[in-house]
Amino acid sequence: MNVSLVSRRSLLALCFTVFATGALAQAGTTEYKPEVGQDGKDVVWVPTPDTMVEKMLDMAKVTAKDFVMDLGSGDGRTVIAAAKRGARALGIEYNPDMVELSKRNAAKEGVTDKAQFVKADLFETDFSKATVITMFLLPDINLKLRPKILNLRPGTRIVSNSFTMAEWKADQTENVKENCTTYCTALLWIVPAKVDGSWQVGGGELKLKQEFQMLTGTLTAGGSETAIKGSMRGDRITFTAGAATYTGRVNGASIVDGTVKGGSAAQWTATKK
Ligand SMILES: C[S@@+](CC[C@H](N)C(=O)[O-])C[C@H]1O[C@@H](n2cnc3c(N)ncnc32)[C@H](O)[C@@H]1O
């Protein structure tokens, strides 16, 4: 047999072995498969069913104008779904393997320009730039995050898979039945503007007591005091005083664009005392 042919064949075989080993090693990394229930830093990984992801993004009315942050982003599905709606989206995930998996998933879905992922602890993350926050964590984690969430810009939408924020009742709750067997309740909160305190309304006074988005208090005008009951939806205020319904928009220390239905005046404004 021709010696040079043998050595050429050996070389080819060697090249193939090196190539195959490299390819397998690469396949080893790309084939990282997370297991439902696997440990996470503060909460295990359980993926939100896709129908729930869509419901959560629907409830938050996510559009291309939004910046969505998923706290504990798992395999990246919520971030990727938000990016497909044109939003900029960022996943915060503590597990580096999940971060890499999410990046690969985003690449497969063609949304790497909009969907980004960082390996970080959600408790040490600044999410003040988000217009929408999604999460599937635990009730006690939601509660720990609550003060930070309440300090976000009024109107920021928060959507949680299944878990509540204790006394801060959700503004909207929806149950998903299609292709969802567990963890099928989506809850939405809209960060309310802070209005607690006294406001000058014309020659009178509006005293507001605020508990999350709920309002009680009194409206004093022309020497008579009327109890009020109302609510906030982001920067929008609505309350009733007797037969009159007041609506307006909170802009810092002012309430503007105020309208009244069923009252003696048609418009109103207020200034924080
Ligand atoms: C229940 S899974 C939800 C995953 C994803 N958001 C979804 O809805 O499919 C929670 C995720 O949070 C991650 N996680 C746990 N503690 C974390 C922390 N302190 N910071 C960032 N991520 C965390 C876990 O690794 C896991 O992927």
Side-chain angles (χ1 to χ4, degrees):
M1 198 185 274
N2 184 329
V3 176
S4 73
L5 188 62
V6 170
S7 56
R8 215 177 310 144
R9 276 193 187 144
S10 317
L11 190 65
L12 267 176
L14 181 70
C15 285
F16 176 77
T17 312
V18 168
F19 172 79
T21 312
L24 274 178
Q26 227 180 357
T29 36
T30 53
E31 276 174 15
Y32 167 74
K33 285 225 163 36
E35 275 178 31
V36 174
Q38 75 186 21
D39 263 356
K41 180 174 174 285
D42 294 286
V43 50
V44 300
W45 177 64
V46 176
T48 294
D50 289 333
T51 46
M52 267 287 289
V53 168
E54 295 304 329
K55 174 60 82 181
M56 288 165 72
L57 299 180
D58 285 349
M59 286 169 76
K61 296 190 167 68
V62 170
T63 70
K65 290 190 187 139
D66 281 307
F67 175 39
V68 179
M69 282 177 79
D70 189 30
L71 305 182
S73 50
D75 63 3
R77 59 185 62 204
T78 307
V79 168
I80 291 167
K84 284 184 175 174
R85 293 182 183 213
R88 243 175 358 109
L90 178 65
I92 305 299
E93 171 56 55
Y94 197 78
N95 179 333
D97 291 327
M98 295 300 270
V99 172
E100 291 312 310
L101 174 68
S102 302
K103 287 179 180 171
R104 289 194 293 276
N105 289 343
K108 275 184 209 152
E109 297 295 328
V111 289
T112 46
D113 55 333
K114 301 267 182 193
Q116 307 211 307
F117 300 91
V118 288
K119 191 259 160 206
D121 187 334
L122 63 90
F123 286 112
E124 275 153 35
T125 297
D126 173 11
F127 41 82
S128 61
K129 297 264 182 327
T131 57
V132 174
I133 289 175
T134 55
M135 53 198 199
F136 180 21
L137 298 167
L138 283 171
D140 63 313
I141 299 181
N142 289 4
L143 212 48
K144 269 196 218 158
L145 293 173
R146 198 176 76 181
K148 214 167 151 184
I149 289 174
L150 280 164
N151 274 333
L152 294 174
R153 210 175 25 245
T156 306
R157 291 94 82 205
I158 318 298
V159 223
S160 165
N161 179 347
S162 296
F163 299 115
T164 66
M165 295 234 234
E167 319 84 46
W168 184 12
K169 299 293 172 225
D171 291 292
Q172 191 185 343
T173 303
E174 299 279 345
N175 292 305
V176 167
K177 297 196 174 72
E178 195 197 349
N179 296 328
C180 192
T181 49
T182 51
Y183 301 112
C184 305
T185 302
L187 302 109
L188 168 79
W189 294 263
I190 298 172
V191 174
K194 293 186 173 71
V195 292
D196 197 276
S198 292
W199 297 76
Q200 184 83 39
V201 180
E205 185 180 34
L206 174 65
K207 279 192 184 161
L208 295 176
K209 186 172 175 341
Q210 178 172 17
E211 280 181 46
F212 306 106
Q213 70 274 59
M214 304 312 289
L215 303 174
T216 52
T218 54
L219 178 64
T220 307
S224 72
E225 185 181 281
T226 312
I228 72 102
K229 215 172 172 190
S231 62
M232 300 298 302
R233 195 168 172 91
D235 62 357
R236 304 281 156 175
I237 181 168
T238 306
F239 65 86
T240 55
T245 302
Y246 291 70
T247 58
R249 183 170 61 82
V250 179
N251 183 12
S254 304
I255 297 177
V256 297
D257 305 335
T259 60
V260 190
K261 279 196 184 131
S264 48
Q267 288 169 343
W268 70 294
T269 57
T271 311
K272 193 88 194 273
K273 280 187 164 183

